Amino acid sequence: MKGTVLLLFLFMTSILNAQSDSNVVLVIHGGAGTILKKNMTPEKEKAYKAKLEEALNAGYEVLKNNGSSVDAVQAAINIMEDSPLFNAGKGAVYTNKETQEMDASIMRGNDKNAGAVAGVQTIKNPINAARAVMEKSEHVLLTADGAEEFAAKCELEIVDTSYFRSDVRLRQLKRVQEKEKTVLDHDGDQGEVDSSEDEFNIDYIEDKKFGTVGAVALDQNGDLAAGTSTGGMTNKRYNRIGDSPIIGAGTYADNQTCGVSCTGHGEYFIRNVVAYDVSAIMNYKGVSLDTAANEVIDKQTEFGGTGGLIALDKDGNVAMPFNTAGMYRGYVKKDGSIYIGIYGEE
Ligand code: ASP
């Protein structure tokens, strides 16, 4: 009897150890910007937190079941792409011509393979198309019609452009156009608005945020992957493409250093090759992820580029610096504990 109890005890301990020994980590963001508690209603805060948690759970479930970091990144991003709360997929912002043009990229750290799409209008989940480019083509970045043709060939879900239409986003465009500016989803003065009309209760202070979404994951094999998906900037013109689909600028992953996904004013992130810079600083200077990530965001601040990034290194360390008032963000650690933050200093 005693022997049986001891065996049972050992068995339970080994299960608990196996669970707490899981080496997997997932970190996500849903955009940075002027996100202030005073402008947030409790319902809206709850909605954002619930969606971030859902995305974290979806990705973590994959990792826990021995799925790859690429699968986890995709699973987490798909949840946010399907939500109107974020500027990606379903919630994509409008261009100057009242179209919705989305960009996405994904990179895996074990072989530094990468894929991206830009300016796509009919792919339900642009991150899936970015992954298909990485895995099923010899290219890295496909754009517009060609990317859509390729996605259809890969049997990804293609939708009518009406799937992305949103009165909330259209009104946002009109306000921006009145000011004749190009504005990041959650940034810039987009004028007075009656937020009671807003079916998702996304009040227009929300315009002061960068609603791009991203995820970085570390799987059981020790492989990192990073992905980013966005609708870009409200009122963008001339087929403008931001940093999100640019490998090295908006997304980067290298098993030797870290995985990174950015959100912010794309033009600044492209010019400072922000995502790669975090990896390069770690590599060349031999500093920690936290030091490198903060150095890069400090440089962005000096340069005038607002935004933030999430980063995860091969040991599971997480960094989430931003130079805006807030950033929707969260992670699941090796022990399964979840953190979700919105504002600064949380
Ligand atoms: N970085 C994105 C872009 O410039 C915008 C964002 O992060 O919301 O297209």
Side-chain angles (χ1 to χ4, degrees):
M1 179 64 187
K2 258 190 194 161
T4 318
V5 171
L6 182 68
L7 273 180
L8 194 65
F9 173 76
L10 288 175
F11 177 65
M12 292 304 292
T13 319
S14 72
I15 289 183
L16 287 174
N17 279 346
Q19 279 176 350
S20 59
D21 277 345
S22 99
N23 282 324
V24 302
V25 181
L26 175 68
V27 52
I28 62 170
H29 72 78
T34 314
I35 313 166
L36 297 167
K37 188 146 181 102
K38 68 175 166 74
N39 298 323
M40 188 71 95
T41 64
E43 298 76 43
K44 194 170 61 171
E45 191 178 294
K46 215 165 131 197
Y48 273 103
K49 283 189 168 167
K51 204 40 89 176
L52 290 169
E53 191 174 338
E54 190 184 333
L56 281 171
N57 282 329
Y60 191 67
E61 199 56 32
V62 170
L63 294 169
K64 236 178 36 191
N65 292 316
N66 225 354
S68 72
S69 49
V70 170
D71 283 340
V73 162
Q74 183 179 353
I77 289 181
N78 281 168
I79 299 284
M80 294 186 282
E81 283 181 332
D82 291 344
S83 164
L85 291 173
F86 304 99
N87 171 22
K90 180 81 184 134
V93 299
Y94 278 94
T95 68
N96 179 264
K97 288 188 178 154
E98 295 188 17
T99 57
Q100 283 147 305
E101 298 173 8
M102 290 153 278
D103 308 330
S105 66
I106 195 162
M107 181 166 188
R108 61 183 187 221
N110 56 1
D111 59 1
K112 298 215 260 176
N113 203 355
V117 292
V120 296
Q121 298 185 47
T122 61
I123 301 171
K124 179 168 173 274
N125 293 101
I127 196 70
N128 299 6
R131 180 177 183 169
V133 173
M134 173 171 79
E135 292 176 343
K136 297 182 177 155
S137 85
E138 58 192 11
H139 308 296
V140 171
L141 173 57
L142 301 181
T143 65
D145 304 0
E148 288 171 355
E149 188 187 325
F150 177 74
K153 232 180 177 164
C154 294
E155 297 182 359
L156 299 184
E157 194 170 349
I158 302 297
V159 290
D160 190 82
T161 50
S162 60
Y163 166 77
F164 300 101
R165 296 257 150 79
S166 145
D167 290 345
V168 172
R169 292 301 193 192
L170 201 55
R171 289 196 298 271
Q172 183 180 25
L173 173 71
K174 297 293 173 202
R175 288 193 308 280
V176 171
Q177 284 180 332
E178 267 164 40
K179 308 246 169 190
E180 261 312 305
K181 281 200 297 197
T182 307
V183 177
L184 287 150
D185 177 36
H186 308 303
D187 221 15
D189 178 4
Q190 302 195 13
E192 291 301 312
V193 81
D194 176 6
S195 66
S196 60
E197 289 172 49
D198 178 352
E199 64 196 291
F200 303 112
N201 198 18
I202 308 174
D203 78 30
Y204 291 92
I205 303 299
E206 294 273 326
D207 299 341
K208 298 193 174 220
K209 292 192 273 70
F210 310 100
T212 289
V213 305
V216 189
L218 176 67
D219 65 24
Q220 305 272 14
N221 282 336
D223 288 330
L224 288 163
T228 311
S229 183
T230 190
M233 289 170 67
T234 301
N235 202 30
K236 64 187 181 182
R237 294 172 200 233
Y238 315 121
N239 304 109
R240 177 265 187 192
I241 289 167
D243 60 312
S244 306
I246 310 292
I247 296 300
T251 303
Y252 194 71
D254 179 353
N255 271 8
Q256 301 314 308
T257 52
C258 62
V260 181
S261 169
C262 300
T263 172
H265 198 144
E267 280 66 12
Y268 293 81
F269 281 67
I270 292 172
R271 286 185 281 162
N272 274 340
V273 203
V274 167
Y276 175 71
D277 202 23
V278 178
S279 168
I281 288 174
M282 284 179 79
N283 195 15
Y284 300 151
K285 289 192 177 174
V287 297
S288 71
L289 178 83
D290 197 54
T291 304
N294 279 294
E295 184 175 326
V296 168
I297 289 300
D298 286 350
K299 269 200 265 180
Q300 281 297 89
T301 308
E302 266 170 52
F303 195 56
T306 43
L309 61 85
I310 53 166
L312 172 62
D313 73 12
K314 58 184 176 13
D315 301 317
N317 297 305
V318 171
M320 304 187 292
F322 49 93
N323 61 17
T324 47
M327 179 167 81
Y328 293 112
R329 61 199 187 277
Y331 58 74
V332 195
K333 286 202 284 199
K334 290 182 182 179
D335 63 2
S337 60
I338 289 188
Y339 161 85
I340 291 170
I342 297 182
Y343 317 103
E345 316 243 320
E346 269 191 286

